[in-house]
Amino acid sequence: MELQGRTIAVTRAEQQLGASRQLFEQAGAHVLDLPALVIGPPDEWGPLDDALAELEEFHWLIVSSSNGVDAVEQRLRRQGSNLAQRPSSLKIAAVGRKTAARLEELGAAADFVPPAFVADSLIEHFPVSGWGLRLLLPRVQSGGRTLLAEAFGEAGARVVEVAAYESRCPETLPEATASALAAGQVDAITFSSGKTVQHTAQLLEQQFGASWRELLERVRLISIGPQTSKTLRAVLGRVDGEADPHDLDGLVAACALSLKD
């Protein structure tokens, strides 16, 4: 019970707080929900639908989140197909354990999962040369990294990036979380993406006004990975711990380690 007696605010998408809460509670923490993302459709489905209608023309589908997997599966089903029945010539690469697990649940196990759960690792360890490949990258509509597309493009691949979903900011903070922050009762906040950092800052300023940063002075800020850490430093000025591996288990461990001090 590494986090016994600690209060941890967990930022994730509204639909994805359950798994995070369970892991932190198993470690002994009192968990406060801080939903910093609302996952919804992109502004238009046309580009994704058009790409999926030509799926047999792609060599690889590269997915970096379970949200992307779900969006692709949903739109394929509208076309009378699904990922499990994809063209035999199409392989799937997945960034992250959760993304790979979601693919397995759908009967479409990934052909390649990089050893580290970050995009850079996928590029470094990709099993074939990118030259001449046609790749489909469904991604978040705004704020996602273009690293994958740029790197594969430089390697000679033809990359099609399409918006598969959008992550928007919720309207308000949960009352219990806001009250705990105001009372100085939160030991740490965990962040699962750059957008959770940006939206949390937006929600805190909206709730507490110009002095919102003061509420975080004694709160440990824990990141799930290097890109989230980069955003934390830019928006909140520091990072007190980073998950290794870059997943929920790593996040719990990084939180426990930071709070030992």
Side-chain angles (χ1 to χ4, degrees):
M1 305 290 270
E2 301 169 293
L3 293 172
Q4 189 69 44
R6 299 293 195 173
T7 297
I8 312 297
V10 176
T11 70
R12 287 190 79 78
E14 283 184 329
Q15 304 94 319
Q16 298 168 345
L17 285 165
S20 304
R21 167 180 285 278
Q22 184 177 13
L23 281 177
F24 277 96
E25 286 180 344
Q26 285 173 354
H30 170 58
V31 178
L32 294 169
D33 291 337
L34 208 170
L37 299 174
V38 178
I39 303 299
D43 291 340
E44 56 177 338
W45 286 114
L48 178 60
D49 287 344
D50 290 347
L52 294 178
E54 302 175 347
L55 207 52
E56 70 279 354
E57 298 182 18
F58 289 93
H59 298 98
W60 284 83
L61 169 68
I62 299 178
V63 282
S64 56
S65 74
S66 57
N67 294 317
V69 173
D70 287 339
V72 168
E73 179 73 3
Q74 174 192 341
R75 302 311 289 183
L76 280 175
R77 288 182 180 180
R78 288 178 64 90
Q79 297 179 8
S81 182
N82 56 54
L83 280 168
Q85 296 174 316
R86 67 190 182 278
S88 58
S89 57
L90 181 74
K91 293 187 175 181
I92 303 179
V95 178
R97 184 184 297 166
K98 186 176 179 183
T99 309
R102 182 62 184 133
L103 285 165
E104 286 193 14
E105 289 173 5
L106 294 172
D111 297 284
F112 172 64
V113 181
F117 307 142
V118 289
D120 311 62
S121 181
L122 183 139
I123 294 165
E124 182 181 350
H125 296 280
F126 203 66
V128 294
S129 166
W131 184 261
L133 296 181
R134 193 162 190 240
L135 311 179
L136 177 59
L137 275 68
R139 60 186 285 263
V140 66
Q141 178 175 292
S142 64
R145 299 179 68 199
T146 59
L147 171 71
L148 284 172
E150 291 173 357
F152 280 116
E154 289 171 3
R158 292 170 293 163
V159 182
V160 177
E161 270 193 300
V162 288
Y165 63 96
E166 179 62 312
S167 52
R168 299 173 172 88
C169 187
E171 293 184 2
T172 59
L173 280 173
E175 187 174 330
T177 304
S179 297
L181 282 165
Q185 296 170 346
V186 177
D187 294 298
I189 304 176
T190 67
F191 297 92
S192 56
S193 69
K195 271 198 175 182
T196 63
V197 177
Q198 294 161 349
H199 290 172
T200 295
Q202 184 177 327
L203 289 165
L204 289 173
E205 184 171 12
Q206 177 183 303
Q207 179 82 29
F208 297 108
S211 62
W212 67 272
R213 290 178 183 273
E214 296 173 11
L215 298 175
L216 302 180
E217 288 178 357
R218 297 185 181 181
V219 179
R220 301 297 173 92
L221 308 179
I222 312 298
S223 155
I224 201 167
Q227 290 304 310
T228 304
S229 294
K230 183 177 179 181
T231 307
L232 261 175
R233 292 188 184 96
V235 176
L236 298 178
R238 72 179 202 274
V239 178
D240 298 311
E242 182 178 296
D244 183 15
H246 308 308
D247 61 10
L248 287 180
D249 290 316
L251 202 57
V252 172
C255 206
L257 183 63
S258 176
L259 290 169
K260 279 184 178 178
D261 298 345

